């Protein structure tokens, strides 16, 4: 009787699992793409600093007056737009991946997540809690899935670098307009480059963190459901 319950529980639980492998690969890839976009962005900021501010002054001249952009400044606008698109794609994929690992950890263990689902989104936006909630959701999914295992170093490195960029005000979500960033590149490029380095480092570490958390969850799925290999291959594991 007990064996029948165990056998029937495995496939039913697998039906509640969400595909994770493809999501993890896409998310890690998008993080690396965003990091590459920020490498290019930093290169353009160095070019602006080396060129020096034109005699006509910064693009944003105050009181709503903007002069015409030169070729280098115009190309920086294009670079930042492409980088913004890469960052947006990365954000969408990362949020989807967070939902999946959070839900899978709940299905695999029967334990309720530490953070309510709404924090997958609001955790990035609400002041103060955005300093630790997103990391907490990822860490909780890992620890629930693999109790007793040490949290991957990449998770802490990713989050530390993300917070540095965020608190600096010039991380992946810039507060200044592109024209003001151009002016800053002319006059104080080093703070921009330090922030760019934090974003690039966070992207690379984030890709490793996503791979590590995804891998441990796939391992747990395979351990928990040896008799439901077909279901796992078609859904949760193979995506």
């Amino acid at each position: 009787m007990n064996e029948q319950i165990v056998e029937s529980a495995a496939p039913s639980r697998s039906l509640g699992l969400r595909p994770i492998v493809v999501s993890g690969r896409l998310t890690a890839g998008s993080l690396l793409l965003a990091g590459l976009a920020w490498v290019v962005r930093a290169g353009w900021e160095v070019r602006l600093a080396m060129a020096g501010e034109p005699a006509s002054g910064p693009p944003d001249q105050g009181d709503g007056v903007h002069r015409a952009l030169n070729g280098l400044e115009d190309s920086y606008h294009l670079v930042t737009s492409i980088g913004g698109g890469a960052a947006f794609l990365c954000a969408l994929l990362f949020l989807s991946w967070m939902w999946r690992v959070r839900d899978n950890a709940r299905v695999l263990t029967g334990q309720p997540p530490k953070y309510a689902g709404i924090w997958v989104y609001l955790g990035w936006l609400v002041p103060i809690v955005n300093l630790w909630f997103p990391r907490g959701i990822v860490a909780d999914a890992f620890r629930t899935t693999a109790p007793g295992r040490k949290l991957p170093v990449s998770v802490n490195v990713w989050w530390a670098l993300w917070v540095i960029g965020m608190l600096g005000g010039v991380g992946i979500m810039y507060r200044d307009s592109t024209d003001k960033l151009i002016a800053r590149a002319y006059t104080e490029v080093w703070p921009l480059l330090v922030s760019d380095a934090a974003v690039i480092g966070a992207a690379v570490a984030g890709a490793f963190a996503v791979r590590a958390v995804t891998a441990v969850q796939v391992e747990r799925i395979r351990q928990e459901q040896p008799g439901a290999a077909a279901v796992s291959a078609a859904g949760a594991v193979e995506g």
Side-chain angles (χ1 to χ4, degrees):
M1 180 66 177
N2 289 337
E3 292 179 356
Q4 292 177 347
I5 293 175
V6 172
E7 290 175 0
S8 63
S12 83
R13 184 163 56 183
S14 69
L15 293 176
L17 293 169
R18 306 185 67 182
I20 189 63
V21 170
V22 173
S23 176
R25 289 173 181 169
L26 290 174
T27 303
S30 70
L31 281 162
L32 295 177
L33 178 64
L36 178 60
W38 251 252
V39 170
V40 175
R41 183 173 186 147
W44 247 257
E45 289 163 358
V46 170
R47 291 182 63 190
L48 287 166
M50 293 179 65
E53 186 173 83
S56 54
D60 184 353
Q61 310 220 324
D63 298 323
V65 178
H66 291 74
R67 65 166 172 77
L69 300 176
N70 60 36
L72 184 57
E73 293 166 346
D74 197 45
S75 64
Y76 182 72
H77 271 265
L78 177 61
V79 166
T80 56
S81 296
I82 294 173
F88 181 72
L89 174 64
C90 180
L92 292 179
L93 290 170
F94 197 92
L95 289 174
S96 174
W97 174 82
M98 284 180 70
W99 265 111
R100 291 169 186 268
V101 294
R102 175 184 175 277
D103 287 353
N104 284 352
R106 174 183 54 79
V107 173
L108 285 167
T109 65
Q111 299 179 27
K114 184 177 180 180
Y115 299 89
I118 194 172
W119 291 115
V120 172
Y121 300 109
L122 293 185
W124 298 91
L125 304 174
V126 178
I128 306 301
V129 302
N130 63 358
L131 296 178
W132 76 86
F133 270 34
R135 175 199 171 276
I137 293 170
V138 173
D140 181 56
F142 179 89
R143 288 170 176 150
T144 302
T145 302
R149 285 202 189 183
K150 186 177 180 181
L151 186 70
V153 174
S154 56
V155 174
N156 290 327
V157 173
W158 154 65
W159 191 246
L161 291 173
W162 170 267
V163 171
I164 289 172
M166 181 176 63
L167 292 181
V170 286
I172 202 167
M173 294 181 289
Y174 281 72
R175 297 172 188 167
D176 292 338
S177 68
T178 304
D179 283 348
K180 289 184 178 179
L181 290 175
I182 291 172
R184 292 184 63 179
Y186 284 139
T187 60
E188 48 175 359
V189 71
W190 287 110
L192 291 177
L193 295 180
V194 169
S195 179
D196 289 338
V199 172
I200 295 164
V204 174
F208 280 100
V210 167
R211 291 187 62 182
V213 177
T214 300
V216 80
Q217 199 157 85
V218 169
E219 180 184 347
R220 177 66 181 269
I221 291 171
R222 288 172 174 162
Q223 289 175 348
E224 290 284 320
Q225 301 172 25
V231 178
S232 296
V237 174
E238 295 298 333

